[in-house]
Amino acid sequence: MRFRHPDGSTVHLAYCTNVHPAETLDGVRAQLRDHCEPVRRRLGRDRLGIGLWLARDAARALTNDPAELRALRAELDSRGLEVVTLNGFPYEGFGADEVKYRVYRPDWTEPDRLAHTTDLARLLAALLPDDVTEGTISTLPLAWRTPYATDPGAARTARTALTTLAQRLDALAELTGKSVRVGLEPEPGCTVGTTADAIAPLTDVGHDRIGICVDTCHLATSFEEPDTALDALAAAGIPVVKSQLSAALHAEHPHLPEVRAALAAFAEPRFLHQTRTRTAAGLRGTDDLDEAVVGGALPDSTPWRAHFHVPLHAPPAPPLTSTLPVLRTALARLVGGAVPLTRHLEVETYTWQALPAELRPRTRTQLADGIAAELTLARDLLVDLGLKELP
């Protein structure tokens, strides 16, 4: 979906296909047929943006066979779909029964991460619509904190990899005329866990093709104030490459038994749900929701937030809620000003099938309806900010 900003530029809105995990190229094609095109039809649009997730095997198949890449581009066109952004965070196995810590490997100290991201950039340059010259990719925020912190050479290795990536992106732009930028996506528990954590490593890289992806669920989980975070990035000259529009789980009174019971329903075995609370002594947290709910690992006199991507249009029932207000504040700052801070927005609710059983979509039709409803809410927020939806 495209929108005209009051400054005359085009802002793109997509939804991320990691909600339909597929490891192979055939699986990606099935996503387009079974999910993405039906969502577009529900919205009554001739064109729908998707934030494509290409796992390692699918990306390699496209990289190794230019004919397959041309065929995918043609299929996107025929189904009324367009790609201006990729989700390069998960490498493989995102549809596994247990993802948890595996999603952080390979990290930016490992050659496979650089090779994969380079492949994605080259593929994106070929998949961009003819009238679009800028593409974006979100990526792992360097590494999960534990191995990175114990390796004295990790920071230097990651910086070298990102510098090499920037050089390759420069060469790609010169060769194709398409500018691809990559954004580290801060996530609680990672080496770059907050937007503030991103400033030093990105300043060290010092290249405008390497910036940040602001995920509003992650921002909220860490209790970051959007205006403060975005002011600091602007002051440091760190570009906001893209933003993922998402909402976290919020519990205002975690000491109450009924609140603990409601939170426990969201603790599940597939994904990691980092949980945080803000205290007078600073931010406290656990790596997963069950650790917070079951034991005394977190103080419970202040609100808790959990890294669980809640459908934008469907906050959980009381006594829980979502951090949609944080998303609204961030979006107003990102695209509501005289000039947009980013032009690529992506709804990323990959946890539909991880919701408590009674909330999960049971059919493809129900899932498509839910995704369309999320995009409708995002569209309405953009229109309220003065953007005009384009055909």
Side-chain angles (χ1 to χ4, degrees):
M1 301 168 75
R2 298 186 183 192
F3 297 81
R4 181 73 67 210
H5 189 274
D7 77 341
S9 64
T10 300
V11 172
H12 294 265
L13 173 66
Y15 90 90
C16 186
T17 63
N18 63 353
V19 65
H20 321 297
E23 301 292 318
T24 66
L25 188 52
D26 285 344
V28 170
R29 291 195 179 100
Q31 291 175 344
L32 305 183
R33 178 191 67 231
D34 297 338
H35 300 289
C36 302
E37 187 174 6
V39 170
R40 178 183 66 75
R41 294 186 183 280
R42 276 165 176 74
L43 291 167
R45 308 297 301 160
D46 293 333
R47 174 174 51 193
L48 176 67
I50 57 172
L52 201 58
W53 174 58
L54 294 173
R56 179 198 63 177
D57 288 350
R60 285 182 180 174
L62 292 168
T63 299
N64 293 334
D65 191 339
E68 291 283 18
L69 180 56
R70 289 193 297 270
L72 179 62
R73 169 67 187 274
E75 183 164 1
L76 288 166
D77 291 342
S78 69
R79 295 191 183 281
L81 305 170
E82 66 177 13
V83 175
V84 303
T85 190
L86 300 180
N87 186 335
F89 194 136
Y91 180 73
E92 62 183 345
F94 202 61
D97 291 338
E98 182 178 336
V99 178
K100 299 291 183 181
Y101 296 94
R102 291 171 52 192
V103 76
Y104 307 109
R105 301 294 303 274
D107 63 34
W108 276 102
T109 68
E110 300 173 86
D112 283 348
R113 176 59 66 172
L114 173 60
H116 178 61
T117 309
T118 301
D119 284 346
L120 292 180
R122 292 168 178 162
L123 294 173
L124 179 56
L127 292 173
L128 287 174
D130 291 339
D131 62 343
V132 175
T133 59
E134 296 183 358
T136 58
I137 302 171
S138 48
T139 190
L140 178 78
L142 298 186
W144 184 253
R145 68 182 187 278
T146 312
Y148 194 94
T150 58
D151 180 356
R156 181 177 63 255
T157 301
R159 181 175 65 249
T160 299
L162 288 172
T163 300
T164 300
L165 176 65
Q167 293 167 349
R168 292 176 179 177
L169 295 177
D170 282 343
L172 181 66
E174 184 174 351
L175 178 67
T176 66
K178 305 287 188 178
S179 173
V180 175
R181 296 189 297 165
V182 173
L184 302 183
E185 180 188 330
E187 178 172 312
C190 292
T191 301
V192 174
T194 66
T195 58
D197 294 336
I199 291 175
L202 289 176
T203 300
D204 284 347
V205 173
H207 199 293
D208 61 5
R209 294 196 195 280
I210 310 294
I212 193 169
C213 168
V214 175
D215 183 302
T216 58
C217 170
H218 303 172
L219 190 79
T221 300
S222 294
F223 288 86
E224 290 194 82
E225 297 296 335
D227 287 333
T228 302
L230 294 171
D231 280 346
L233 292 173
I238 304 299
V240 180
V241 167
K242 66 183 277 190
S243 180
Q244 289 172 326
L245 307 183
S246 53
L249 194 62
H250 180 95
E252 186 69 19
H253 302 292
H255 65 285
L256 297 176
E258 60 268 27
V259 176
R260 293 289 186 102
L263 284 170
F266 285 84
E268 52 83 36
R270 179 177 293 180
F271 300 113
L272 207 60
H273 301 294
Q274 301 93 315
T275 304
R276 297 289 185 267
T277 188
R278 185 169 54 187
T279 71
L283 203 64
R284 295 278 302 278
T286 60
D287 282 355
D288 216 344
L289 181 56
D290 56 357
E291 300 171 36
V293 170
V294 173
L298 277 188
D300 60 7
S301 60
T302 50
W304 289 1
R305 289 177 178 172
H307 172 216
F308 195 114
H309 290 231
V310 179
L312 300 187
H313 69 292
L320 304 178
T321 187
S322 82
T323 61
L324 185 62
V326 176
L327 184 159
R328 290 176 181 270
T329 301
L331 189 61
R333 183 64 185 278
L334 288 166
V335 300
V339 176
L341 301 183
T342 182
R343 295 183 176 88
H344 289 183
L345 305 172
E346 179 183 53
V347 172
E348 196 212 13
T349 305
Y350 60 84
T351 44
W352 276 95
Q353 300 301 339
L355 290 167
E358 67 276 11
L359 301 177
R360 293 176 200 163
R362 294 184 298 276
T363 64
R364 289 178 185 169
T365 298
Q366 290 179 345
L367 179 58
D369 287 343
I371 293 169
E374 288 195 285
L375 286 166
T376 298
L377 184 147
R379 178 192 65 193
D380 292 346
L381 292 178
L382 292 174
V383 171
D384 288 346
L385 289 170
L387 282 73
K388 180 181 178 181
E389 187 175 8
L390 298 175

